[in-house]
Amino acid sequence: MDTSVTPTTTPNRTAERVRHELKFRLLEVVNTRHISPHMVRVTLGGADLAGFTSPGFDDHVKVFFPDPVTSELVLPSGPPGSGATQDGPRPTMRDYTPRNFDAQALTLEIDFALHDAGPATTWAAQSKIGQKLGVGGPRGSFILPIEFDGHLLIGDDTALPAIGRRLAELPAGAPALVLAEVNGPEDEQNFDTHADLSVVWVHRLGQPHGSQPLLLERLKTVTLPAGDIHAWVGCETSTAKALRTHLVGERGVNPKWTKAAGYWRQGSAASHDKIED
């Protein structure tokens, strides 16, 4: 009697946390262009980019902006997150996803969504070659596995860089559904991917960013990929919470395989919220 067991392969669905050395980098704008009416892609360069790493598609770095009046870039006295203090005003800083890093050319692309009147949007709208920016981090990466039956990616303008990076790393033929909110058809983007991709765009059409539950209303009508899926959400904090609640509570998506983050928050100058049960 043959009692041998046929070996099976268990998909790796364990996320990996990776820590990086904290480092502050002084960089210079080498190119800037509108990739849509409400999105500016700024390319930064400089020798300080040597050793930069960003293995997680939804990594974020701290971007330090110059003073809007003096144009002086106020630098922290220690690495971001080190707790170091400094004399004088604190620099203006915001979280952004590294869209693309070229280790040979030592260039880093960051996409700026133009959806408010804050200092980051004001700077990005007038960004010019030769201007200086500071970049700190990323402090760590959360590397999500790709061995799922399907992938769901939901977000507004601020999440498009992370969504684009995730789609680029998915294997050929992997079922992927993107649900994305932008102002209008002119703000839609094309994604480079080998995945079997479907994209559903939701348009605000001039409504204030985050004022209506457009993503949640549309999510309720779409068919999710079959089987065990990984869901990723990035948008305004209260919207992200509602989307995660719907996915887990009403659509049966495994909460362990559902990652949601508030990329910004109504009424807050700067926020990045991790959303859990």
Side-chain angles (χ1 to χ4, degrees), residues 46-67:
D48 278 2
L49 281 170
F52 181 87
T53 184
S54 175
F57 74 90
D58 60 352
D59 285 349
H60 59 271
V61 294
K62 289 287 186 185
V63 176
F64 297 82
F65 295 92
D67 184 277

Side-chain angles (χ1 to χ4, degrees), residues 8-208:
T8 60
T9 300
T10 302
N12 176 19
R13 291 171 177 167
T14 303
E16 179 185 4
R17 292 185 181 274
V18 180
R19 289 291 180 184
H20 310 300
E21 177 188 1
L22 293 176
K23 186 174 181 180
F24 178 84
R25 293 173 165 87
L26 180 61
L27 305 177
E28 181 175 304
V29 177
V30 298
N31 192 38
T32 178
R33 65 186 180 94
H34 276 78
I35 59 174
S36 72
H38 295 95
M39 186 77 76
V40 175
R41 177 165 293 168
V42 175
T43 304
L44 303 170
D48 278 2
L49 281 170
F52 181 87
T53 184
S54 175
F57 74 90
D58 60 352
D59 285 349
H60 59 271
V61 294
K62 289 287 186 185
V63 176
F64 297 82
F65 295 92
D67 184 277
V69 177
T70 66
S71 297
E72 179 185 1
L73 181 59
V74 181
L75 307 181
S77 57
S82 66
T85 59
Q86 64 181 47
D87 296 328
R90 291 176 57 84
T92 298
M93 62 188 107
R94 296 289 187 269
D95 289 328
Y96 283 92
T97 298
R99 182 61 178 90
N100 183 61
F101 172 60
D102 188 326
Q104 291 187 329
L106 290 181
T107 57
L108 174 65
E109 293 179 343
I110 297 179
D111 291 351
F112 293 84
L114 308 180
H115 68 82
D116 58 29
T121 291
T122 300
W123 181 90
Q126 62 75 57
S127 56
K128 299 179 180 62
I129 293 174
Q131 292 177 321
K132 304 291 186 180
L133 275 188
V135 172
R139 293 191 295 176
S141 300
F142 195 69
I143 302 175
L144 296 173
I146 59 175
E147 296 182 5
F148 287 89
D149 298 327
H151 302 266
L152 173 65
L153 300 159
I154 306 175
D156 59 17
D157 320 56
T158 62
L160 293 182
I163 290 173
R165 285 189 58 176
R166 180 61 163 176
L167 291 173
E169 70 185 22
L170 292 181
L177 171 63
V178 169
L179 176 59
E181 176 191 320
V182 293
N183 184 65
E186 68 280 1
D187 288 304
E188 296 178 6
Q189 297 185 15
N190 294 319
F191 299 109
D192 292 328
T193 184
H194 295 293
D196 182 9
L197 175 63
S198 297
V199 182
V200 177
W201 293 101
V202 178
H203 299 145
R204 290 189 299 274
L205 299 178
Q207 297 181 85

Side-chain angles (χ1 to χ4, degrees), residues 236 264-271:
E236 195 278 327
W264 61 284
R265 190 190 314 154
Q266 290 281 14
S268 176
S271 67

